[in-house]
Amino acid sequence: MKQNKKNCDLKSCTMCKQCQHDWLPALDANRKSFHFKKGEQLFIEGEEVKGMYFISKGLVKVHKRWSDEKELILRIARDGDIVGHRGLGADTVYPVSGTAMEPTDVCYIDLSFFNSTLRTNPDFQYNLLMFFAAELKESEKRMRNLAHMNVKGRIANALLYLQNKFGKDANGYINLSISRQDLASYTGTTYESLFRIMNELSTEKAINTDGKKTQILNAALLQEYIEQS
Amino acid sequence: MKQNKKNCDLKSCTMCKQCQHDWLPALDANRKSFHFKKGEQLFIEGEEVKGMYFISKGLVKVHKRWSDEKELILRIARDGDIVGHRGLGADTVYPVSGTAMEPTDVCYIDLSFFNSTLRTNPDFQYNLLMFFAAELKESEKRMRNLAHMNVKGRIANALLYLQNKFGKDANGYINLSISRQDLASYTGTTYESLFRIMNELSTEKAINTDGKKTQILNAALLQEYIEQS
DNA sequence: CGATTTATTGAACGTAGTCAATTCGGGTGG
DNA sequence: CCACCCGAATTGACTACGTTCAATAAATCG
């Protein structure tokens, strides 16, 4: 990671821009601007909590380890999202890691200043509270799905969720470039299982202009998989 | 459920008692006192959010349905805990249900008043925020465990967690009376699987003074199961 | 062009879920 | 007090899903 001169814009943060703007200058004075290359880690599970990150531009996966080779991706954050907030609370170590999936620019706010800013801006605190409430709901829904849906259903579900969250590009593809390995980690399954099921799900394939093959998902099958699970 | 005359005590709420006490009278004026019998539901998944519950005395499971016969227990709340807070946020329906596992007395606060009290007491809002942060951490840890641990490990884990949370009584038993069905739902497995594994885990059995049999868990095995998974 | 990683497929294995049968224990009513 | 009944406990057998391992093919990179 490297600190750069480029000014990140806190107003692009979904949570900040709904707040009274008279506090932003103070926040602005305390921010640092960082750039992370693809694959670099913003914060690491088990390390001391240092601060919060507001993503100006990029993509960050938040993941949690299990044993040496397994992990679960908890969330995929992008422009305007906040990450590192799981470091809040009594515990002073990050319970999760954050890794850039693309080159990513962030605003960084020191934890102690972040904490004090909560007190001075109840609006922001309220927004953050609502954000946590939404995250908790989502987390518990996924937890139930992990417990009771089969892999087909979880994959179908994840694809629809990601399509809904990231939208579609001009070609109708999901506006998110993610490796199969990451998609497997996101749905809580193995690379091989994901591979096989993705094949079942794509009844047709397209050849892109660059010569690469793209799988085209069958919407009806997606629905079917969810219902069967 | 029935509203009773008995005064519930908001100061017994873990979150309230850390706050400035000058707002408590206002909160106090807006509370209602309810009693729920074992098995009665405080709130139901899918229903309109009405308010928050502070448990004065009792035990409440928070659970989420999957299909008609399956559910996942997300949390077991007791004296001093708050439930119904998952109703906060943009969505106006409860994403989960709350059911009394024992006769339970609660303080009930109307949602609209609860929301306004957040604004007037930043301390309380801050405590609630930290509470949500802790819940989210816990939820995500369990999510990862559901994804990667096997059933043995999850059960062993859950038993240790519950022992840690509810403590042990004079006989060394976990201070929580929970049905096997509920324990299965809590660990995300079936009644039968839980049964078999609990048998494996208890290398000896005790006959209580009342003639009932009690399973005595083998601590070493618990540890082993967690490590193997 | 060789080397090394990533994709693809097959086969086997084990875990845990499902179904069904039986037993047990504790009421309840005759 | 006994016969009956019901739900919970207990156990066995079977099955299926998904992981794991291994082998091959394809692609990427220096």
Side-chain angles (χ1 to χ4, degrees):
Chain A
M1 91 183 183
K2 65 165 188 273
Q3 189 169 355
N4 60 14
K5 300 282 169 274
K6 181 169 171 276
N7 279 346
C8 61
D9 186 7
L10 273 171
K11 291 194 206 70
S12 69
C13 157
T14 339
M15 220 170 303
C16 305
K17 67 185 172 193
Q18 299 164 6
C19 299
Q20 307 158 14
H21 278 195
D22 52 354
W23 71 298
L24 269 175
L27 193 59
D28 226 40
N30 280 275
R31 68 169 170 72
K32 287 176 190 156
S33 194
F34 284 114
H35 177 81
F36 293 89
K37 284 186 283 209
K38 181 172 175 171
E40 276 185 321
Q41 302 209 289
L42 286 72
F43 49 90
I44 299 177
E45 194 176 344
E47 283 191 356
E48 195 75 13
V49 176
K50 294 188 290 278
M52 304 291 140
Y53 300 85
F54 298 86
I55 304 177
S56 301
K57 181 90 191 77
L59 205 61
V60 175
K61 64 173 173 180
V62 177
H63 48 111
K64 198 169 172 71
R65 285 199 157 286
W66 177 250
S67 72
D68 281 336
E69 51 247 90
K70 290 183 185 175
E71 64 169 12
L72 182 71
I73 295 181
L74 299 168
R75 177 169 168 245
I76 297 172
R78 56 168 171 175
D79 312 6
D81 287 339
I82 181 175
V83 289
H85 58 284
R86 283 164 181 77
L88 280 181
D91 223 358
T92 59
V93 296
Y94 287 111
V96 294
S97 303
T99 305
M101 295 169 67
E102 284 177 4
T104 298
D105 293 309
V106 299
C107 276
Y108 170 86
I109 306 277
D110 196 66
L111 180 65
S112 60
F113 180 75
F114 185 84
N115 263 320
S116 66
T117 212
L118 282 179
R119 304 285 187 167
T120 55
N121 190 335
D123 264 3
F124 182 74
Q125 188 173 171
Y126 184 79
N127 286 344
L128 191 61
L129 182 61
M130 290 302 128
F131 171 64
F132 265 104
E135 287 251 291
L136 185 60
K137 272 187 205 177
E138 180 61 27
S139 168
E140 293 183 335
K141 187 156 81 181
R142 282 188 67 196
M143 194 157 114
R144 185 209 49 192
N145 291 350
L146 271 171
H148 292 310
M149 285 181 105
N150 59 26
V151 173
K152 280 186 183 180
R154 294 210 304 271
I155 291 177
N157 220 23
L159 289 167
L160 289 176
Y161 174 80
L162 293 172
Q163 166 172 307
N164 182 50
K165 176 163 181 186
F166 292 93
K168 290 187 283 191
D169 67 13
N171 297 316
Y173 303 149
I174 296 177
N175 223 335
L176 165 71
S177 110
I178 181 173
S179 73
R180 285 175 201 267
Q181 182 55 65
D182 276 350
L183 201 48
S185 297
Y186 185 75
T187 50
T189 186
T190 57
Y191 182 91
E192 290 94 331
S193 288
L194 181 102
F195 175 83
R196 289 180 230 260
I197 291 170
M198 289 282 281
N199 270 353
E200 287 184 43
L201 275 171
S202 69
T203 42
E204 49 173 332
K205 283 179 191 168
I207 311 285
N208 293 358
T209 48
D210 59 0
K212 304 210 175 178
K213 284 172 289 181
T214 305
Q215 295 187 291
I216 299 188
L217 301 173
N218 183 322
L221 266 182
L222 280 177
Q223 213 49 54
E224 203 178 299
Y225 278 12
I226 291 177
E227 278 154 19
Q228 281 171 4
S229 72
Chain B
M1 95 183 179
K2 65 166 188 272
Q3 189 170 356
N4 60 16
K5 300 282 168 269
K6 180 167 172 278
N7 279 347
C8 60
D9 187 8
L10 274 172
K11 291 194 207 71
S12 69
C13 157
T14 338
M15 220 170 303
C16 305
K17 66 184 173 195
Q18 300 164 3
C19 299
Q20 306 158 13
H21 279 194
D22 54 352
W23 70 297
L24 270 174
L27 193 59
D28 226 41
N30 279 275
R31 67 169 169 73
K32 287 177 190 157
S33 194
F34 284 115
H35 177 81
F36 293 89
K37 284 186 283 207
K38 181 173 176 170
E40 277 185 319
Q41 303 209 289
L42 285 72
F43 49 90
I44 300 176
E45 194 176 344
E47 282 192 356
E48 194 74 15
V49 176
K50 294 190 290 280
M52 303 291 140
Y53 300 84
F54 299 85
I55 305 177
S56 301
K57 182 88 191 75
L59 204 62
V60 175
K61 64 174 175 180
V62 177
H63 48 111
K64 197 167 171 73
R65 286 201 155 283
W66 177 253
S67 71
D68 281 336
E69 50 246 85
K70 289 183 187 175
E71 63 168 15
L72 182 71
I73 294 180
L74 300 168
R75 177 170 168 247
I76 297 172
R78 57 169 169 171
D79 312 6
D81 287 340
I82 182 174
V83 288
H85 58 283
R86 283 164 181 78
L88 281 180
D91 222 357
T92 58
V93 296
Y94 288 110
V96 294
S97 302
T99 305
M101 294 169 71
E102 285 178 3
T104 298
D105 293 308
V106 300
C107 276
Y108 170 85
I109 306 278
D110 197 65
L111 180 64
S112 61
F113 180 75
F114 184 84
N115 263 318
S116 65
T117 213
L118 283 179
R119 304 285 186 168
T120 55
N121 190 336
D123 265 2
F124 182 75
Q125 190 174 172
Y126 184 78
N127 286 343
L128 191 62
L129 182 61
M130 291 302 128
F131 171 65
F132 265 103
E135 289 250 289
L136 185 60
K137 273 187 205 174
E138 178 62 27
S139 168
E140 292 183 336
K141 187 156 80 180
R142 284 188 66 196
M143 195 157 113
R144 184 208 50 191
N145 291 350
L146 271 171
H148 291 311
M149 285 182 104
N150 59 25
V151 173
K152 280 187 185 181
R154 294 210 304 273
I155 290 177
N157 220 22
L159 288 168
L160 289 176
Y161 174 79
L162 292 174
Q163 167 173 308
N164 183 48
K165 176 163 181 189
F166 291 93
K168 291 189 280 190
D169 66 15
N171 297 315
Y173 302 149
I174 297 176
N175 222 336
L176 165 71
S177 112
I178 183 174
S179 74
R180 285 174 200 270
Q181 182 55 65
D182 277 348
L183 200 49
S185 297
Y186 185 75
T187 49
T189 185
T190 58
Y191 182 91
E192 290 94 330
S193 289
L194 180 102
F195 174 83
R196 290 182 231 259
I197 291 169
M198 289 281 283
N199 271 352
E200 286 184 45
L201 274 172
S202 67
T203 41
E204 49 171 333
K205 284 179 190 167
I207 311 286
N208 293 356
T209 48
D210 60 359
K212 303 208 173 179
K213 283 173 289 183
T214 305
Q215 294 187 294
I216 300 189
L217 301 173
N218 183 322
L221 265 181
L222 279 177
Q223 214 48 53
E224 201 178 301
Y225 278 11
I226 291 178
E227 279 154 20
Q228 281 172 2
S229 72

